[in-house]
Amino acid sequence: MGISVNGIEITDSAIEQELTHHQKAGNPLKQSVHELVLRTVLLQEAERLGITGEDDDARIEALFVQEVNVPEADDAACETFYRNRPELFSNGDLVEARHILFQVTPSVSLEFLRATAESVLEELKVHPERFAELAKMYSNCPSGAVGGSLGQLTRGQTVPEFERFVFRMADGELAGRLLETRFGLHIVQVVKHIDGTQLPFDAVKAQVAENLMQQAWQRGVHQYMQILVGKSDIQGVTLEGAESPLVQ
């Protein structure tokens, strides 16, 4: 493929081997090439700085630890984050919800699935009393047998994208749009929302500081990788930033 990093070739065999780790990516080949290029950039920098380790992953981690400096989160930053994200620090917050799941499958086109889901949603906007009936007819979730009821949900029980969606909804609210998750398309209604009690700042201060430090660390690593990529002679591929599982 004619790809090289500072004169070091990224071979086709290396790309083929890397492909096995990215089969679920939107573009496995592109993701594999980017990952190999970034890893090569980082290992070359570790070599230049004389950083050693048990394996390549350890050398990259040691490089980040040495070169990425993140300031500690001060009390003011922690308090601001705590005030702005109260939902993260509540005890007992829950919702009673129900949904109709239109599961994505190879045998049904996404366009047809979305059109069907939109049609059912429009019917529910006019006749919300039909929710249980339509859930039994259309839902690909076992909950369809009980009218789509998911019971009472606490934080952490569902996938993040579903949780963020339902915990922002009010009592009795039928979502005006479809929710798309890794499972498919959902029509969602919150039957009841019960607010929890917010934990005091002193009880979660250490958790907040750790959260802010982790965010700062990820930003710092990302910026550092962008700098290294910018200084490197990369041929045969254009990197769209330095996004990579390496920085997760």
Side-chain angles (χ1 to χ4, degrees):
M1 295 180 64
I3 300 171
S4 65
V5 178
N6 297 321
I8 302 300
E9 181 186 5
I10 303 294
T11 66
D12 287 348
S13 61
I15 295 172
E16 290 174 3
Q17 184 175 355
E18 185 68 24
L19 267 170
T20 62
H21 303 299
H22 304 285
Q23 292 305 305
K24 294 183 179 180
N27 187 328
L29 178 59
K30 179 180 178 181
Q31 184 66 39
S32 299
V33 170
H34 282 205
E35 188 76 4
L36 282 172
V37 169
L38 291 172
R39 181 174 291 271
T40 301
V41 167
L42 291 167
L43 290 173
Q44 287 179 352
E45 184 66 7
E47 181 71 21
R48 188 185 72 82
L49 296 175
I51 296 175
T52 61
E54 294 181 359
D55 53 29
D56 288 348
D57 288 340
R59 294 176 67 201
I60 290 172
E61 182 65 27
L63 174 66
F64 287 153
V65 170
Q66 177 176 306
E67 297 298 310
V68 179
N69 297 311
V70 177
E72 292 188 9
D74 58 27
D75 288 351
C78 290
E79 290 178 1
T80 298
F81 185 83
Y82 172 78
R83 287 196 305 271
N84 291 339
R85 299 296 303 276
E87 72 277 6
L88 298 179
F89 311 107
S90 62
N91 184 22
D93 198 18
L94 58 84
V95 293
E96 182 180 343
R98 57 183 181 175
H99 79 147
I100 302 174
L101 171 64
F102 299 83
Q103 187 177 21
V104 176
T105 62
S107 61
V108 179
S109 72
L110 181 58
E111 292 77 12
F112 177 79
L113 195 70
R114 188 179 297 277
T116 303
E118 292 283 6
S119 176
V120 174
L121 177 58
E122 290 305 312
E123 173 65 16
L124 286 173
K125 289 178 180 179
V126 179
H127 298 288
E129 72 278 1
R130 297 192 64 197
F131 197 105
E133 172 194 347
L134 294 175
K136 292 177 182 178
M137 290 175 59
Y138 288 99
S139 186
N140 298 123
C141 176
S143 65
V146 289
S149 176
L150 296 171
Q152 293 185 339
L153 303 172
T154 59
R155 293 187 184 276
Q157 281 190 288
T158 66
V159 294
E161 57 268 34
F162 193 92
E163 177 180 301
R164 287 192 297 268
F165 197 81
V166 297
F167 274 90
R168 291 172 180 167
M169 295 172 64
D171 286 8
E173 181 180 355
L174 173 69
R177 64 176 178 86
L178 299 175
L179 168 65
E180 187 168 346
T181 74
R182 65 197 70 177
F183 299 110
L185 305 172
H186 306 251
I187 296 173
V188 182
Q189 183 178 36
V190 167
V191 179
K192 190 174 184 180
H193 191 147
I194 302 173
D195 293 328
T197 302
Q198 188 169 7
L199 299 171
F201 175 68
D202 287 343
V204 296
K205 180 179 177 181
Q207 178 186 345
V208 174
E210 181 178 354
N211 188 297
L212 291 178
M213 286 286 288
Q214 182 62 30
Q215 291 181 17
W217 168 259
Q218 291 179 346
R219 288 194 301 270
V221 168
H222 178 64
Q223 292 168 358
Y224 177 61
M225 292 175 69
Q226 286 184 314
I227 292 171
L228 291 183
V229 167
K231 295 192 301 183
S232 298
D233 178 18
I234 300 173
Q235 300 294 325
V237 64
T238 300
L239 295 188
E240 299 169 358
E243 298 291 353
S244 164
L246 287 170
V247 304
Q248 301 304 312

